[in-house]
Amino acid sequence: MPGLAPHAAPEAPAALEPQLDVFLARHEDELIGFRRDLHMHPELGFAEHRTTARIAERLRAVGLHPVILPGGTGLFCDIGPEDGYTVALRADIDALPLQDEKEDVPYRSTVPGVAHACGHDVHTTMVLGAGLFFAQQAAAGLLPGRVRLLFQPAEETPGGALDVMAAGGIVGVDRAFALHCDPRIEVGQLGLRTGAITAACDKVYVKVKGPGGHTARPHLTADLVYALAKIVTELPAALSRRVDPRSSLSLVWGRVSAGSVANAIPDDGIAEGTVRCLDDEAWHRAPEMMKSLLASVAAAYDVEASLEYARGVPPTVNEATSVQMFRDAAALVLGEEGAVPTPQSLGGEDFGWYLESIPGALARLGVKRPGSADDYDLHRGDFDVDEACIAVGVRVLTATALTALWDGNRPAAEPVEGAPLA
């Protein structure tokens, strides 16, 4: 790739594949070993001290200068010219509070009750691998811009993305990309979707108060259980009528509690649930809408109701041009059939915080062994991947970042054909 300029796309792709082949022939085993080490030593959100140290050590070994976040976990690292067009690649580094239930692998978690059951160890390793390749390119004067590696803590908590942003992690970034493991897609395929790919996910806590009383005389008090039942049923229905149905705004309760005996009307009760949404505007409006609706229903039954609305993450809304860059990169390193449509998910992903500020996209990387009947899923104690996905992910991230650097001003793209809701 000698002499590449940001718009040298026609010549650049032909040179990339052989260079990646040479790099991965030398480093793939090391990267698999790095992933296994992280898998054996998982750390929960904002406690990823060992993980952060291991990443920083490897980056420093190739002459890079990682910046540890003020909280002591997570880091970011620039590669290439300081004033160049900048593309960020993000990895989340935290694990889940789950027991590792795998029994036949040498890299099973050594930490009781903590496991990489969502693939964050794989995400970290792929971004590290891409970074090592880019460090090699930059040293040879072949990197046509700047790449910023974001190793983010506490995606599952969540909150880590906000810490990265507060530390200046996306200042000067023109576009951002991330991969997430998908055990439903085979290795060698990349799942793409324009628009919302994951949902906003917030938590709501409703507390209802009344004077209490005897069940024989509900007319002399406020029938709190009945009122709470009305709140639980009417709020989701009313909320769904206040927004465009295409936003997929939903309120689902997970816990309802009131009273302790059959013949006494209690003086308080609670309901807890989650709000999920695929539309950014509806997500921003949701708290005030819920507060207004709750007050209306509570007043009808003469009870006091309070709302605690805990923001989680916004929807992850993929920008069309960035999705096109993913698609072009997949065609280059995986073949024309490498990119496949992927469904929306109502799960949350805090990569959405970055995409509220800068354009970018999240794609789903196939981690299922081709032809396998394995039925792994995310957030399960038996979750695992075909480690061939690591080299695939390095190829995709590298080609995508370079595509963005070569042609950061690509015209608006047609959306990838959608798929049904997951």
Side-chain angles (χ1 to χ4, degrees), residues 26-323:
R26 181 176 300 172
H27 292 285
E28 184 174 7
D29 287 346
E30 175 201 350
L31 293 173
I32 290 173
F34 192 91
R35 179 258 169 170
R36 292 186 175 191
D37 177 71
L38 296 186
H39 202 87
M40 292 173 67
H41 303 93
E43 297 172 302
L44 297 177
F46 295 123
E48 311 97 330
H49 296 283
R50 180 185 185 277
T51 303
T52 299
R54 293 279 287 114
I55 298 165
E57 176 186 33
R58 189 64 186 90
L59 294 173
R60 292 186 186 113
V62 293
L64 298 176
H65 305 284
V67 177
I68 308 296
L69 299 186
T73 67
L75 59 93
F76 60 89
C77 183
D78 284 348
I79 308 169
E82 292 185 5
D83 57 350
Y85 188 92
T86 302
V87 174
L89 301 178
R90 175 272 206 165
D92 34 15
I93 67 175
D94 57 324
L96 284 162
L98 291 174
Q99 184 66 31
D100 192 338
E101 298 175 359
K102 297 186 295 296
E103 297 180 352
D104 56 352
V105 297
Y107 48 85
R108 183 180 180 184
S109 172
T110 61
V111 183
V114 183
H116 272 295
C118 197
H120 293 188
D121 53 335
V122 177
H123 305 166
T124 299
T125 303
M126 294 186 298
V127 171
L128 175 66
L132 297 178
F133 177 80
F134 286 133
Q136 174 182 293
Q137 297 297 98
L142 302 177
L143 190 60
R146 180 170 61 171
V147 175
R148 179 169 297 167
L149 312 179
L150 303 177
F151 293 96
Q152 176 205 306
E155 190 276 329
E156 299 287 357
T157 304
L162 296 177
D163 280 16
V164 170
M165 295 168 70
I170 63 170
V171 173
V173 172
D174 296 287
R175 203 172 291 274
F177 297 95
L179 294 180
H180 198 296
C181 293
D182 192 330
R184 299 167 298 179
I185 302 176
E186 292 188 349
V187 171
Q189 292 187 315
L190 187 71
L192 299 178
R193 187 181 190 91
T194 298
I197 188 170
T198 66
C201 182
D202 301 333
K203 292 182 180 179
V204 294
Y205 305 86
V206 172
K207 188 167 185 178
V208 181
K209 292 183 178 181
H214 200 291
T215 57
R217 293 178 289 277
H219 59 294
L220 298 180
T221 185
D223 191 346
L224 186 134
V225 173
Y226 189 83
L228 183 57
K230 284 294 187 179
I231 288 170
V232 166
T233 55
E234 291 185 15
L235 247 64
L239 197 60
S240 69
R241 297 304 185 270
R242 291 286 189 96
V243 297
D244 188 327
R246 291 171 295 183
S247 70
S248 297
L249 180 67
S250 68
L251 166 60
V252 178
W253 303 105
R255 178 173 178 248
V256 179
S257 177
S260 57
V261 295
N263 63 345
I265 295 174
D267 58 10
D268 66 6
I270 61 168
E272 301 179 9
T274 59
V275 173
R276 298 178 187 271
C277 183
L278 293 170
D279 177 74
D280 196 63
E281 180 182 354
W283 177 68
H284 282 287
R285 291 173 52 208
E288 285 305 313
M289 285 191 293
M290 275 202 65
K291 186 177 180 180
S292 173
L293 291 168
L294 177 62
S296 176
V297 177
Y301 298 97
D302 202 24
V303 296
E304 296 180 19
S306 60
L307 172 67
E308 181 182 342
Y309 195 105
R311 280 292 194 204
V313 296
T316 298
V317 183
N318 285 345
E319 183 238 7
T321 300
S322 299
V323 174

